[in-house]
Amino acid sequence: MPITPESENQTAAPPAERLAYSVQEAADMLGINYFTMYRLIQRQKLKTCRVLRGKLLVPRTELLQLLQTDLR
Amino acid sequence: MNYYERPTPLQEQAYTEARQHFAEHLKQFKANCDAFHNIECNLPTTANDTFRAAIQSSGHIIQTDDGTQWQHAVDLTKITSVCHRRTEAGLEFAVVECLPLKSREMKDVLNSGHDAREVLQTFAHDQRKVFKLWKDDVTAQVNEYLGEKYPHQDMTIVTESFEIKLARAISERPAQTQKQSHGVRI
């Protein structure tokens, strides 16, 4: 069945609108590998929060702060 | 939990699916563990090379984000290297990370000290903590993935097999990884 624009809109919100990302998504956004990402978290260069099952999430604000972008 | 318990066909299927879903994680985890073990194995040699470079005062200058100037001695990974500098208290060594982000390059001292070997040992110790953090997060993600895909099913054995697999990758040296594993297939 072809995907209509309507059904596409029903999928998850685009990344730019999300409040937090998984470590992998954040690594992809920063253009670094997973290990480097966990190293930043371990050194508390990036603050994270844990969701129900213990998975780490990186808040969008933390990523922006790290990048020192003009979006802040 | 009996790790020698035989998984059910559903658990086998869940394991295969999760393994595919987290393939990139597992691949990167293994590659980084192997690279780390190589660093650990070469630690005494690296410490000697670093000390020699410091005595000769050789190596290009790296200025870290805190403004400190270091001289490069030996590369540990693509983005980390051991550096040295002269201070009033004598030679100082540091593991410096140069992390190219999309907007800038972050240059940070991971750890430093006056004994090159100790600095490298501390670095190795810290890397183990990072691997543990990574392992715990992957395990949590596998748990979440299986919980959503197989609600009301006991997938503990699958999650635990991932956890054991990752823990082994951290603790085993490359030569040891060739040993046969027994019990549940992971």
Side-chain angles (χ1 to χ4, degrees), chain B residues 59-86:
Chain B
H60 62 268
I61 302 290
I62 296 174
Q63 183 165 325
T64 48
D65 289 350
D66 62 1
T68 314
Q69 287 198 336
W70 297 88
Q71 273 184 284
H72 173 274
V74 180
D75 281 330
L76 293 173
T77 66
K78 276 183 187 171
I79 58 167
T80 53
S81 52
V82 202
C83 297
H84 59 87
R85 67 175 184 143
R86 288 181 189 277

Side-chain angles (χ1 to χ4, degrees), chain A residues 2-27:
Chain A
I3 300 170
T4 63
E6 254 186 52
S7 62
E8 276 180 331
N9 289 340
Q10 285 166 5
T11 57
E17 291 175 11
R18 286 169 53 185
L19 292 174
Y21 303 92
S22 72
V23 174
Q24 294 65 55
E25 289 169 330

Side-chain angles (χ1 to χ4, degrees), chain A:
Chain A
M1 195 178 103
I3 300 170
T4 63
E6 254 186 52
S7 62
E8 276 180 331
N9 289 340
Q10 285 166 5
T11 57
E17 291 175 11
R18 286 169 53 185
L19 292 174
Y21 303 92
S22 72
V23 174
Q24 294 65 55
E25 289 169 330
D28 291 341
M29 289 170 76
L30 292 174
I32 59 178
N33 75 26
Y34 296 175
F35 186 57
T36 307
M37 195 69 197
Y38 285 105
R39 209 153 57 189
L40 288 171
I41 295 167
Q42 175 70 25
R43 281 157 52 212
Q44 299 186 333
K45 290 278 175 186
L46 270 176
K47 287 181 188 135
T48 55
C49 51
R50 285 187 190 272
V51 288
L52 210 57
R53 291 174 198 266
K55 175 183 163 181
L56 293 169
L57 284 183
V58 186
R60 177 177 161 78
T61 48
E62 284 292 314
L63 292 176
L64 294 177
Q65 197 171 340
L66 185 80
L67 289 167
Q68 291 182 340
T69 60
D70 299 328
L71 298 172
R72 270 191 297 175

Side-chain angles (χ1 to χ4, degrees), chain B residues 18-51:
Chain B
R19 203 183 155 86
Q20 281 171 0
H21 188 81
F22 292 96
E24 183 58 28
H25 252 303
L26 298 173
K27 188 179 133 194
Q28 285 202 26
F29 196 90
K30 175 80 170 59
N32 280 283
C33 277
D34 289 350
F36 170 67
H37 291 316
N38 280 334
I39 291 171
E40 264 195 327
C41 290
N42 295 325
L43 205 139
T45 312
T46 308
N48 286 340
D49 291 347
T50 304
F51 190 72

Side-chain angles (χ1 to χ4, degrees), chain B residues 2-154:
Chain B
N2 179 8
Y3 295 110
Y4 296 92
E5 185 183 318
R6 190 169 177 78
T8 64
L10 190 66
Q11 287 167 335
E12 288 270 11
Q13 183 190 324
Y15 175 82
T16 307
E17 285 172 4
R19 203 183 155 86
Q20 281 171 0
H21 188 81
F22 292 96
E24 183 58 28
H25 252 303
L26 298 173
K27 188 179 133 194
Q28 285 202 26
F29 196 90
K30 175 80 170 59
N32 280 283
C33 277
D34 289 350
F36 170 67
H37 291 316
N38 280 334
I39 291 171
E40 264 195 327
C41 290
N42 295 325
L43 205 139
T45 312
T46 308
N48 286 340
D49 291 347
T50 304
F51 190 72
R52 197 174 303 121
I55 294 295
Q56 292 167 354
S57 197
S58 61
H60 62 268
I61 302 290
I62 296 174
Q63 183 165 325
T64 48
D65 289 350
D66 62 1
T68 314
Q69 287 198 336
W70 297 88
Q71 273 184 284
H72 173 274
V74 180
D75 281 330
L76 293 173
T77 66
K78 276 183 187 171
I79 58 167
T80 53
S81 52
V82 202
C83 297
H84 59 87
R85 67 175 184 143
R86 288 181 189 277
T87 66
E88 286 179 1
L91 286 172
E92 190 178 11
F93 303 93
V95 176
V96 173
E97 181 179 75
C98 297
L99 180 60
L101 295 172
K102 283 179 179 170
S103 56
R104 67 187 175 110
E105 189 174 52
M106 202 168 90
K107 290 178 182 169
D108 220 359
V109 173
L110 299 187
N111 60 292
S112 61
H114 293 285
D115 184 320
R117 186 178 283 225
E118 271 181 24
V119 167
L120 285 164
Q121 279 170 343
T122 305
F123 170 73
H125 180 73
D126 290 345
Q127 298 314 286
R128 282 195 175 275
K129 285 187 193 168
V130 178
F131 279 116
K132 189 184 176 303
L133 181 74
W134 190 354
K135 171 186 75 83
D136 291 346
D137 190 39
V138 176
T139 306
Q141 288 187 46
V142 170
N143 195 16
E144 182 190 56
Y145 172 80
L146 294 173
E148 285 172 2
K149 194 142 195 182
Y150 297 95
H152 315 301
Q153 297 286 336
D154 181 13

